[in-house]
Amino acid sequence: MTGLPRRTSPAQTLARPLRRTLTRTLAATALLAAATGCGAQPADPETLPAADSASSPTQDPSVSASPTPAPAETVEPEAEGPAASVPAERTTVGVYFVGDAPSGPRLFREFRSVSAQDPLTEAAALLTSGDVLDPDYRTLFPRGSFGSVRASDGMLVVELADGAWVQRPRGMTREHAELAVQQLLHTLQAVIQARAPMTVLLDGVPSTLLGVPTAGGVTNADPLEVLALVNVTSPEQGSRPSGSLRATGVASSPEANVPWEIRRGQEVVMTGFATAEGWMDKLYPWQTEEIDVSGLAKGSYTFVASTDDPSDGEGRNEGGGPTTDSKDFTLR
C-alpha cells in the first residue's frame, strides 16, 4: 500500500511517451534455455530493465540486483526477491502491476509463487487477473486470458485466445495500452531472466496487442519512463516480523538517497534512510540496516519508502513530489 499521500497529477499518465522504446533486441542466434536445450545469452546487468536484487528463484532483468538472499536460483543482480523458501514444485517470479506515481501510472513489481512447470503461463494469468497482494496495485488488462505463452528461439511468443485484445478497448488511452504491453513484457522477461523481445500472435499470425504493434518484436521502454522510481520488496505486504526487520527494494532517487518511515495509522513512529547502489540511469538495489522494532507495541504498521525530493517538487517528477511505495505488516 501507499503510506505517504501521493500528489498525483490528475490528468497525467506517463511522464513522457513510451515511444522512446528501446530498439535493442537480442541476437537471433541466442536461444533461450527455457525454450531449447542450449544456454541462453547471459543478460547484461547494466542494460537490463530496472528492478531489485535476486533473492528469489527467478530474478527480474529490469532492475539492478539487490542484496536479499534468494530462496532458489539467482539470475540478475538487479532484482531482489523475498527471502522465504518455496516448495520444489513452485518457483518465485516477479510480476509487474500498475500503481500511481506523481508522473502518472508506473509499473511496480511483486514477487509471487507460481508453478515451476509452466511459470510463464501462470505469471501471465496473475497479471491479467489483477491478482495483487498490495491493494495499491492493479492491472491495465481487461478481463480475459491468453491462449498460450512460451519462449522460443530468443523470443517471447504470446498467443491470443481470440480477437478481444487485438484492439484497444473503449476508454483505454494509447499511453495506457503501451504501458499494459510493457507490463506483460517485463513480467515475462522476469520469468525467463532474459531481456528477450516479445511478439503476439492470433491464429499463428503476428497481431497487435491492445492496438500496439508487436510484429517486429516489442522491446523495453526506458526503465525511468515506465517503472516506479522506488519499489519495496521487503517487508512483504501482510508479513509478520518480530523484534527487527530489514527493508529492501530498488530505486532511482537523487543522490541515491531513499528516505523511509514506519507508520502506525497516520502517526510516524520511526524514520531513516537507505543508500541505493546508484541512481539516474536505472533502478538500483537498496537496503536498510537492521531496524530494531522491539520497542514498538504489537499491532499493524506500514513501511513507506520514497524517492528523495531535494528540489521540493521541481525535479524529475515535474512538480508532483516524491514517488512512494509502502507495505503493511504486523508486529507480533
Side-chain angles (χ1 to χ4, degrees):
M1 293 182 61
T2 302
L4 293 176
R6 293 191 176 107
R7 293 175 285 170
T8 307
S9 303
Q12 281 183 305
T13 50
L14 297 174
R16 305 174 186 86
L18 295 178
R19 299 187 200 89
R20 291 164 50 180
T21 300
L22 299 178
T23 56
R24 294 169 292 176
T25 58
L26 299 179
T29 55
L31 301 183
L32 296 177
T36 71
C38 304
Q41 184 177 11
D44 180 358
E46 292 304 315
T47 58
L48 290 179
D52 356 350
S53 91
S55 70
S56 65
T58 58
Q59 277 177 281
D60 182 351
S62 54
V63 215
S64 302
S66 103
T68 326
E73 69 206 36
T74 307
V75 184
E76 229 343 271
E78 43 174 89
E80 126 192 39
S85 61
V86 293
E89 67 275 9
R90 309 284 295 174
T91 188
T92 303
V93 301
V95 179
Y96 282 83
F97 294 103
V98 176
D100 294 321
S103 54
R106 293 291 186 103
L107 300 181
F108 291 78
R109 187 188 53 190
E110 285 188 340
F111 280 97
R112 305 294 295 272
S113 174
V114 299
S115 167
Q117 297 300 312
D118 194 0
L120 281 170
T121 298
E122 199 161 317
L126 286 171
L127 179 154
T128 55
S129 68
D131 182 7
V132 299
L133 298 178
D134 190 323
D136 280 349
Y137 300 165
R138 61 189 183 276
T139 185
L140 289 176
F141 275 85
R143 290 179 178 271
S145 61
F146 294 108
S148 66
V149 185
R150 67 183 187 275
S152 177
D153 293 339
M155 290 283 291
L156 288 160
V157 182
V158 178
E159 292 270 1
L160 295 175
D162 51 44
W165 289 349
V166 170
Q167 298 302 325
R168 202 167 68 232
R170 181 176 301 177
M172 176 180 280
T173 66
R174 181 179 63 185
E175 290 78 9
H176 281 186
E178 290 173 340
L179 185 59
V181 173
Q182 289 290 316
Q183 180 189 0
L184 177 63
L185 175 65
H186 278 73
T187 297
L188 300 184
Q189 288 179 339
V191 174
I192 66 170
Q193 284 299 285
R195 200 170 188 176
M198 177 183 73
T199 188
V200 177
L201 307 178
L202 177 62
D203 297 330
V205 178
S207 169
T208 57
L209 176 60
L210 303 176
V212 178
T214 72
V218 178
T219 57
N220 299 79
D222 182 342
L224 300 184
E225 301 296 330
V226 295
L227 300 179
L229 298 183
V230 66
N231 203 169
V232 176
T233 299
S234 61
E236 296 179 67
Q237 180 73 19
S239 61
R240 298 175 60 84
S242 176
S244 67
L245 63 85
R246 186 188 297 273
T248 64
V250 291
S252 180
S253 180
E255 305 300 331
N257 188 44
V258 182
W260 59 264
E261 297 179 350
I262 293 179
R263 293 178 166 226
R264 187 163 197 183
Q266 296 302 310
E267 179 187 5
V268 177
V269 296
M270 295 187 74
T271 63
F273 70 91
T275 302
E277 295 179 7
W279 66 296
M280 292 184 68
D281 59 327
K282 61 181 179 181
L283 274 67
Y284 287 85
W286 57 265
Q287 71 172 7
T288 65
E289 299 294 331
E290 199 72 22
I291 303 171
D292 182 3
V293 292
S294 60
L296 299 179
K298 295 179 180 179
S300 300
Y301 294 85
T302 302
F303 179 89
V304 185
S306 68
T307 54
D308 204 1
D309 192 18
S311 62
D312 293 325
E314 297 300 322
R316 177 184 293 159
N317 290 321
E318 298 183 2
T323 298
T324 64
D325 189 27
S326 62
K327 303 298 175 188
D328 294 331
F329 65 94
T330 301
L331 283 181
R332 52 186 175 82

